[in-house]
Amino acid sequence: MNLPKWCHALAMKLGLFIALPAILASHAHAAPACIGPASDTWVNLTVDRVHNNRGLITATLYPNEPKRFLVKNGSLYVASTPAKAGQTRFCLFVPRPGSYAIAIYHDEDSSGTINRGGLFGIPSEAVGFSNNPLIFLGPPSLRSVLVKIEQANQAMTITLKKF
């Protein structure tokens, strides 16, 4: 049985209206273009007090393991994104839901390493950590910077500090 053209047109419109919510729902939890090794879990980061557009904002993700925190080759990975003065926003993949520490620095010269100066090796580039701990006479403890990332699409703000 052939239907009139207006029936086909109506069916097409209804079909699109029925299919569109299903299509949108299927992509609602799709990972955005995050940095780091892809996974089903990510955190949206806002880095405050970025002084200029030079270089990169570099994020280092650490597991909940004290022996690995802030030591060479102790991180799960390091990833960077272009710096944007004021605030730099990006998302960062994490391997799975759990507790992690995030260290950020503004790599102004894009050298891939944090520049240090002075007698005590104090960073000369701005740094920040998850939970924005008070930094006084040395780096923060792992416990003070651990954050629970329990689901995809959580948001967090990290404020940079320059010493």
Side-chain angles (χ1 to χ4, degrees):
M1 175 177 164
N2 288 336
L3 296 173
K5 285 185 181 180
W6 68 268
C7 285
H8 285 288
L10 180 61
M12 288 293 288
K13 285 184 181 180
L14 288 174
L16 286 176
F17 283 116
I18 292 167
L20 188 56
I23 291 168
L24 292 176
S26 70
H27 292 325
H29 294 290
C34 295
I35 60 175
S39 75
D40 291 332
T41 309
W42 64 89
V43 60
N44 291 305
L45 293 171
T46 300
V47 180
D48 271 339
R49 295 189 184 163
V50 179
H51 293 287
N52 57 55
N53 291 322
R54 288 192 307 265
L56 303 166
I57 296 298
T58 299
T60 306
L61 184 69
Y62 291 95
N64 184 5
E65 296 176 32
K67 290 181 179 181
R68 293 179 63 179
F69 183 57
L70 297 179
V71 299
K72 187 173 185 163
N73 300 319
S75 69
L76 294 170
Y77 69 87
V78 178
S80 299
T81 192
K84 293 184 182 100
Q87 287 186 331
T88 300
R89 297 172 188 264
F90 60 98
C91 70
L92 183 71
F93 283 118
V94 296
R96 67 192 58 77
S99 293
Y100 299 92
I102 301 171
I104 301 283
Y105 73 96
H106 185 179
D107 186 8
E108 290 186 64
D109 61 359
S110 300
S111 65
T113 60
I114 188 164
N115 296 339
R116 298 178 182 275
L119 293 173
F120 303 107
I122 296 171
S124 58
E125 295 176 306
V127 299
F129 294 90
S130 43
N131 290 334
N132 296 304
L134 182 63
I135 301 173
F136 184 72
L137 297 176
S141 68
L142 174 62
R143 193 171 79 175
S144 71
V145 299
L146 275 178
V147 290
K148 278 191 176 187
I149 301 173
E150 297 175 333
Q151 61 192 20
N153 210 22
Q154 286 181 226
M156 177 185 319
T157 299
I158 296 176
T159 302
L160 291 178
K161 297 166 184 80
K162 192 153 184 169
F163 301 97

